[in-house]
Amino acid sequence: MHAVRFDADFGVADAIEAELDAAGLAVNIDYDYARKTAGFIFHLDSRTQAEARAAELGRMLESWTGKAAWPMTLYPVPEEDWSETWKQHFHAVRVSRRILVKPSWESVAVEPETLTIEIDPGMSFGTGRHFTTVSCLKFLDECVPVPNEGRFLDVGCGSGILSIAAVKLGYCHVTAFDNDPLAVRIARENFGRNALAVADGAAAAKAPLSCRVLDLARKPMAGCYDTVVANMLAPI
């Protein structure tokens, strides 16, 4: 197996990610918050395929950004037990003054005022490492609701991380939805991992936390909310 990597500044990284998603290219992204860059990594079966992908990416990036020179790094990827080694890349991270995000397999000692969110990476957007997700979490930490009040809407909930943060920050009514059934399933699993009960059916309208499949473009949601987060790709 071989990999191709190029790096981009945060200022253009989200736009590039959206274009890659629209082109149907699977990519892993390595965020460096100190340098404020994102590394886009593609895995291919052979060196020949990696070289072809690098050339394709160069043409795409020039078309999207107008910048001709995009250095590409090609390197072999050793055979490993990916069922375990991928966990090396996911560790507990403090994303805001009070919020800490961690995977289930890692134990962390925290202060009493720390709000811990347990998220396991799945086939869904939102592990607390993406720049926009971190930005939303920081914003929520600063916009604390009045105790026992506040209605919160999570549009395109993905892994459910922002809804979990909202509950832990004190919102009394949290509504989450996504047009992807897999995302909703993963969000519900993460709610359970954080000991949060999710209501279904008619009870969901008045429940503290609800999560369902919904396409906002086809069926607009009625209601008033104090805080709305929509952590989605820019074109959407």
Side-chain angles (χ1 to χ4, degrees):
M1 179 176 287
H2 278 69
V4 178
R5 172 175 177 143
F6 70 86
D7 292 88
D9 294 336
F10 277 171
V12 296
D14 278 353
I16 291 174
E17 182 183 357
E19 294 287 1
L20 291 171
D21 181 74
L25 296 180
V27 60
N28 294 325
I29 306 179
D30 178 21
Y31 296 97
D32 187 330
Y33 292 97
R35 297 172 53 213
K36 296 185 178 180
T37 60
F40 293 82
I41 306 168
F42 303 80
H43 292 93
L44 291 307
D45 290 334
S46 68
R47 174 80 184 190
T48 300
Q49 291 178 336
E51 291 173 348
R53 176 59 55 82
E56 177 188 21
L57 289 168
R59 292 190 295 270
M60 287 180 167
L61 289 166
E62 182 177 359
S63 173
W64 296 337
T65 67
K67 176 183 174 183
W70 284 89
M72 300 282 170
T73 302
L74 280 69
Y75 54 92
V77 180
E79 295 293 333
E80 297 182 71
D81 181 6
W82 292 107
S83 65
E84 290 299 321
T85 56
W86 66 273
K87 292 183 178 180
Q88 298 174 7
H89 301 287
F90 293 93
H91 300 287
V93 56
R94 184 173 292 277
V95 298
S96 69
R97 183 174 61 87
R98 289 179 298 167
I99 299 174
L100 181 137
V101 181
K102 78 173 196 70
S104 61
W105 59 83
E106 192 166 89
S107 297
V108 181
V110 297
E111 304 83 359
E113 65 271 16
T114 296
L115 305 177
T116 301
I117 299 176
E118 192 168 286
I119 293 285
D120 278 356
M123 294 177 64
S124 182
F125 183 82
T127 58
R129 287 158 178 79
H130 191 276
F131 177 74
T132 60
T133 306
V134 171
S135 297
C136 286
L137 289 167
K138 288 180 178 179
F139 174 80
L140 290 177
D141 197 357
E142 296 171 359
C143 299
V144 180
V146 175
N148 301 317
E149 296 183 19
R151 293 172 61 84
F152 181 90
L153 179 63
D154 188 354
V155 182
C157 62
S159 67
I161 186 171
L162 300 180
S163 290
I164 296 170
V167 173
K168 290 180 177 284
L169 286 168
Y171 284 89
C172 69
H173 189 283
V174 175
T175 300
F177 70 84
D178 202 294
N179 67 347
D180 183 353
L182 178 59
V184 171
R185 178 176 67 79
I186 291 173
R188 285 172 169 267
E189 290 175 357
N190 284 324
F191 293 148
R193 189 171 283 113
N194 288 271
L196 304 179
V198 186
D200 292 302
K206 297 182 179 180
L209 176 61
S210 64
C211 183
R212 60 181 170 134
V213 178
L214 178 68
D215 187 341
L216 189 62
R218 295 176 179 270
K219 186 178 180 181
M221 174 174 282
C224 295
Y225 297 88
D226 300 288
T227 303
V228 178
V229 291
N231 185 24
M232 301 183 293
L233 294 174
I236 298 174

